[in-house]
Amino acid sequence: MDASLKTGNIQLDRQLERWYPLMDHHVQLNLITAVKRGIRFPLVPAGRRSGKTERFKRFLVKQCNSVIGQYFAAAPTHDLLALTLSTTHSRKPNVSERIIYMDNGSEIHVLGLDKPQRIEGIPWTGGGIDEFADLKPEAWESNIYPALNTVNPTRPEYRAWCWLLGVPD
C-alpha cells in the first residue's frame, strides 16, 4: 500500500492492505457483472490460484455495502474481517457465530456446508459457495436452492444470487 494512504490506525492500515490491486482478466470482469445482468447463479469453474475466490469475496463485500441484506460465504474466508474493514464497524463481529455486522445493516454469515441445513431459515440477499463440487449430492436441491428461493416479505420480488465456485475435473 502507498505510504501516503496510511491512516495512522495500525489495524485499519493492515486491513486496507488486503485491498491490493488485482490483474483483470476479461472472463473475471464478465463474472463481476453477472448478477447485475440477471444471472442468479453464475458458475465459476476455474483452476486453482485463478483468483475466483478472491473476486467473489471482493464482490460480496461491495454488494454488502451497496445493497442492505443478509449474505453468506461458504468458502475459506478468514480474511473477510479485513476485506470488510471490520475495525471501523460500530458493532464488533460475532466470531463464534461467524457473522460480520456492517454499519449499513448488512450481515455476512460465514457458513460451513458440511451440514447443508445451515443455509436454511434466512432470506438471503446473496452469497457464494466455494468448492461447489464437494457438496453432498442432494444439498443443492434439498437445502440450498430452496433457501435461495425463500421470499423475504419486505422484498417479495427479489431472489437471492449465489456464485458457485470450483475447480473443474
Side-chain angles (χ1 to χ4, degrees), residues 3-4 12 15 26 36 50 79 82 87 89 117 119 133 138 142 145-146 148 167:
S4 65
L12 179 57
Q15 290 186 341
H26 73 278
K36 186 185 294 184
S50 64
D79 56 349
T87 61
H89 299 173
Q117 302 85 338
I119 201 167
E138 68 280 358
S142 298
Y145 187 67
L148 296 174
V167 176

Side-chain angles (χ1 to χ4, degrees), residues 1-8 13 16:
M1 181 169 72
D2 182 353
S4 65
L5 298 177
K6 299 277 184 187
T7 67
D13 288 343
L16 286 167

Side-chain angles (χ1 to χ4, degrees), residues 62-83:
K62 290 175 182 177
Q63 286 296 116
C64 285
N65 284 313
S66 63
V67 179
I68 297 171
Q70 294 187 325
Y71 297 83
F72 68 92
T77 52
H78 294 42
D79 56 349
L80 273 173
L81 289 173
L83 282 169

Side-chain angles (χ1 to χ4, degrees), residues 129-147:
I129 301 171
D130 204 359
E131 303 302 340
F132 182 72
D134 292 342
L135 288 176
K136 293 178 181 176
E138 68 280 358
W140 176 257
E141 192 172 311
S142 298
N143 308 97
I144 299 166
Y145 187 67

Side-chain angles (χ1 to χ4, degrees), residues 48-99:
R48 301 207 184 284
R49 309 296 308 152
S50 64
K52 62 189 174 298
T53 304
E54 181 67 19
R55 291 280 177 182
F56 161 67
K57 290 184 283 190
R58 290 180 182 211
F59 179 79
L60 179 69
V61 170
K62 290 175 182 177
Q63 286 296 116
C64 285
N65 284 313
S66 63
V67 179
I68 297 171
Q70 294 187 325
Y71 297 83
F72 68 92
T77 52
H78 294 42
D79 56 349
L80 273 173
L81 289 173
L83 282 169
T84 62
L85 306 179
S86 64
T87 61
T88 65
H89 299 173
S90 56
R91 185 175 177 189
K92 297 294 178 207
N94 183 329
V95 177
S96 63
E97 295 290 325
R98 298 187 296 182
I99 302 172

Side-chain angles (χ1 to χ4, degrees), residues 70 72 107 109 111 113 115-125 142-153:
Q70 294 187 325
F72 68 92
E107 297 177 358
H109 298 245
L111 306 173
L113 290 177
K115 296 181 181 176
Q117 302 85 338
R118 290 182 177 141
I119 201 167
E120 297 174 358
I122 294 177
W124 299 109
T125 303
S142 298
N143 308 97
I144 299 166
Y145 187 67
L148 296 174
N149 280 330
T150 299
V151 175
N152 181 338

